[in-house]
Amino acid sequence: MMETLKEIILNGQEVTFFTGSNRELSIQLIPGKASVFIGVRRCGKSTFLFQIIEKLKRQKVPKENILYINFFDDRLHNLKQEGIQLILEAYYSIYPAKKNVAKIHCFFDEIQTIPNWESFVERTLRTENCEVYITGSSAQMLSKEIASQMRGRALSWEIFPFSFSEFLDYYKIKRNTPFSTKERFQVQKAFEHYFSSGGFPEVIDQTPDIRRKIHQEYLSSILFRDIIERHDISHPRAILDMTYRLIDNAASLYTLNKLLAFLQSIGHKVPKTSLADYLTWLEDSFFLFTVRMYDASFSRSNQNPKKIYCIDHSFIQSVSSGILTNSGHLLENLIFVELRRRYPQVYYYKTKTAKEVDFLILKDKKERLLIQVCESLANPDTKKREVSALLEAMKELKVKTGTIITRHEAKYNQVDDNSIQVLPVWKFLLSDS
């Protein structure tokens, strides 16, 4: 095993890793803490590790100071029995002069496949001159749990599928304003592509049929490997039907009682507590997200219906029945993911007269963002409904500016002391805040 490890370590130092397109995630290293990258399957976590490795090389860090291990390597199968501590023993047997002298940059991809990895990483951080980077997502352990297992010895960084800005970078399209007319048309055309393809790096250059097949494979991996097999679910068909039901209802309200009634109507006998577990596991996998209504009382907020969103709007198109979803729902889902990328807490808001505003963001104790999403305001009744709900929420929350995001329209409205900006979606996605 020792000789195999040495070979793997040396091979990792010789290879030039595929780094793909740069991501906008900016990480900060904290001494004594591992950097853990979490996110849904196939969103680019390993590629982000490769980008860090290649950046270190450009900064003249000697390749000998970089230790990369992919624990899915079949040659490491016996490491489960012999112990993960052999990795550092193998490394320092190659470079004995570096121990406690040079800083070693350790990259552990899919580390959760090896038993007792947590104590190994904790001991490495405590006793060696090392920086540690970790990714993981598999049936053995979801990526969120990897961070929690580190017990304060890790700082987590979330990675999502491509944002629209990253999508433009991938195609080398200018994304910083001001734009010429030609550049603006390029960006708008690129958005239509992004709206169809979504942000998973592997699918954006594929045909619609291949993209659909790949998305469906992703969903199978999440459901069967991360959830059904791992938790030994006794009603696998129930979680499948529940997941598809939630995807069909993306950007809509749901309650556990209504989900339970739906499943019972198609013949499933599953307890309500199991549904709550299924939802938790789907959220832990970064596939679905639940948004609560904003209320100063957590219990009241939790008792109200919640909204459900998916990690990627194009994913919805690939796996949903298409009966309940429409382009307005897809647009709202897209905006949610962008907001969730920027802010850890996203709410929806209901006024005292039961008018709904799609998103409320609490930026700090004073600043709040209110955002409506509407495909078009061309219909007078639609415009009246969206604007009146936004104005009412602005008055209740003492917010002076609200935003309505549409597919194409742009306008600025002043209503008494309040202002409402109407932004096309592409422009909002490229805004700083």
Side-chain angles (χ1 to χ4, degrees):
M1 189 74 244
M2 184 67 74
E3 293 306 311
T4 300
L5 278 170
K6 290 179 183 180
E7 181 180 344
I8 290 171
I9 291 168
L10 291 171
N11 287 346
Q13 292 169 348
E14 293 298 329
V15 70
T16 299
F17 291 101
F18 171 74
T19 57
S21 180
N22 286 336
R23 306 304 298 265
E24 292 182 330
L25 178 63
S26 177
I27 67 170
Q28 181 178 352
L29 299 178
I30 305 297
K33 289 185 182 292
S35 295
V36 181
F37 302 105
I38 62 178
V40 71
R41 283 177 176 268
R42 309 302 298 168
C43 70
K45 298 187 293 295
S46 295
T47 304
F48 190 71
L49 283 192
F50 302 157
Q51 291 176 1
I52 298 173
I53 291 172
E54 295 302 321
K55 182 179 179 181
L56 289 171
K57 291 179 182 178
R58 291 195 300 271
Q59 293 172 346
K60 307 303 182 185
V61 172
K63 65 180 182 180
E64 294 81 9
N65 290 16
I66 296 173
L67 168 60
Y68 172 77
I69 301 287
N70 182 343
F71 288 91
F72 272 167
D73 192 321
D74 62 327
R75 292 172 294 175
L76 296 177
H77 180 74
N78 290 335
L79 195 63
K80 296 178 181 180
Q81 288 76 41
E82 298 188 36
I84 194 172
Q85 74 279 351
L86 287 180
I87 290 172
L88 286 183
E89 291 179 22
Y91 176 84
Y92 285 122
S93 70
I94 303 172
Y95 306 110
K98 292 184 181 294
K99 187 169 177 63
N100 297 323
V101 176
K103 177 172 285 186
I104 311 305
H105 306 269
C106 304
F107 295 83
F108 299 138
D109 210 354
E110 303 292 352
I111 194 173
Q112 78 289 335
T113 61
I114 305 297
N116 302 315
W117 65 268
E118 307 97 318
S119 57
F120 164 73
V121 172
E122 192 274 336
R123 185 172 65 255
T124 299
L125 290 166
R126 180 166 42 82
T127 63
E128 306 290 344
N129 185 13
C130 291
E131 287 178 355
V132 177
Y133 305 82
I134 297 173
T135 72
S137 57
S138 78
Q140 286 89 350
M141 180 170 289
L142 299 177
S143 51
K144 269 190 177 181
E145 294 171 316
I146 287 183
S148 64
Q149 289 291 326
M150 289 301 296
R151 298 183 179 89
R153 283 282 185 175
L155 200 60
S156 300
W157 303 92
E158 295 177 346
I159 297 183
F160 290 78
F162 281 160
S163 67
F164 183 49
S165 292
E166 292 168 334
F167 185 88
L168 293 179
D169 285 344
Y170 176 84
Y171 286 108
K172 296 179 172 55
I173 297 172
K174 178 185 174 183
R175 60 182 176 87
N176 296 319
T177 56
F179 294 127
S180 67
T181 301
K182 180 181 178 180
E183 289 167 341
R184 178 168 56 82
F185 283 151
Q186 274 188 313
V187 170
Q188 290 172 321
K189 183 179 179 180
F191 174 76
E192 297 306 318
H193 182 185
Y194 181 67
F195 195 64
S196 298
S197 70
F200 278 96
E202 190 178 20
V203 306
I204 58 178
D205 282 329
Q206 303 296 338
T207 64
D209 285 344
I210 297 300
R211 182 166 60 243
R212 192 158 39 247
K213 287 179 180 295
I214 293 173
H215 280 153
Q216 289 167 352
E217 286 182 0
Y218 290 174
L219 181 57
S220 294
S221 293
I222 291 168
L223 288 175
F224 287 99
R225 295 181 62 190
D226 290 346
I227 299 177
I228 292 173
E229 291 178 6
R230 178 169 181 253
H231 296 283
D232 193 23
I233 291 176
S234 56
H235 303 280
R237 188 70 237 179
I239 190 172
L240 291 174
D241 289 335
M242 186 194 81
T243 302
Y244 281 107
R245 179 70 171 182
L246 289 169
I247 294 171
D248 275 349
N249 283 275
S252 300
L253 295 170
Y254 80 91
T255 65
L256 281 180
N257 286 335
K258 287 185 178 180
L259 278 177
L260 184 63
F262 165 73
L263 291 175
Q264 290 175 341
S265 73
I266 57 175
H268 292 300
K269 296 179 180 179
V270 56
K272 186 176 177 180
T273 53
S274 293
L275 296 191
D277 289 338
Y278 297 166
L279 273 166
T280 297
W281 297 332
L282 286 164
E283 289 191 75
D284 284 346
S285 68
F286 272 74
F287 176 61
L288 293 180
F289 298 83
T290 288
V291 171
R292 294 186 289 113
M293 186 189 81
Y294 175 74
D295 195 292
S297 165
F298 178 81
S299 61
R300 283 199 303 268
S301 174
N302 212 37
Q303 287 167 7
N304 275 276
K306 300 175 179 65
K307 297 183 82 170
I308 196 75
Y309 295 96
C310 183
I311 185 62
D312 183 81
H313 57 282
S314 180
F315 204 119
I316 298 169
Q317 291 177 291
S318 295
V319 302
S320 73
S321 67
I323 297 172
L324 300 174
T325 53
N326 57 48
S327 56
H329 290 146
L330 297 177
L331 183 64
E332 185 178 330
N333 196 100
L334 186 160
I335 297 300
F336 164 76
V337 175
E338 182 63 27
L339 291 172
R340 179 60 183 77
R341 191 194 312 274
R342 302 181 188 191
Y343 307 106
Q345 291 294 331
V346 181
Y347 302 90
Y348 77 91
Y349 186 77
K350 187 166 285 189
T351 69
K352 293 176 182 177
T353 60
K355 295 176 182 176
E356 186 179 307
V357 175
D358 294 321
F359 300 115
L360 167 65
I361 308 295
L362 309 178
K363 288 189 70 175
D364 52 41
K365 291 183 179 180
K366 294 182 179 179
E367 188 175 3
R368 295 173 179 182
L369 304 180
L370 283 166
I371 297 171
Q372 287 282 59
V373 181
C374 179
E375 192 164 22
S376 173
L377 295 175
N379 184 301
D381 291 337
T382 301
K383 181 177 180 179
K384 181 179 179 181
R385 181 183 69 248
E386 302 292 336
V387 170
S388 64
L390 191 55
L391 285 172
E392 197 168 309
M394 291 165 64
K395 182 178 180 181
E396 292 179 6
L397 295 171
K398 296 181 174 58
V399 175
K400 291 297 182 182
T401 302
T403 301
I404 300 177
I405 300 170
T406 69
R407 278 293 293 271
H408 305 291
E409 291 140 288
K411 195 175 181 181
Y412 188 83
N413 299 296
Q414 191 74 31
V415 183
D416 297 327
D417 292 333
N418 300 311
S419 58
I420 294 177
Q421 57 178 343
V422 180
L423 288 176
V425 56
W426 67 267
K427 187 172 286 189
F428 171 80
L429 294 174
L430 297 180
S431 66
D432 291 332
S433 62

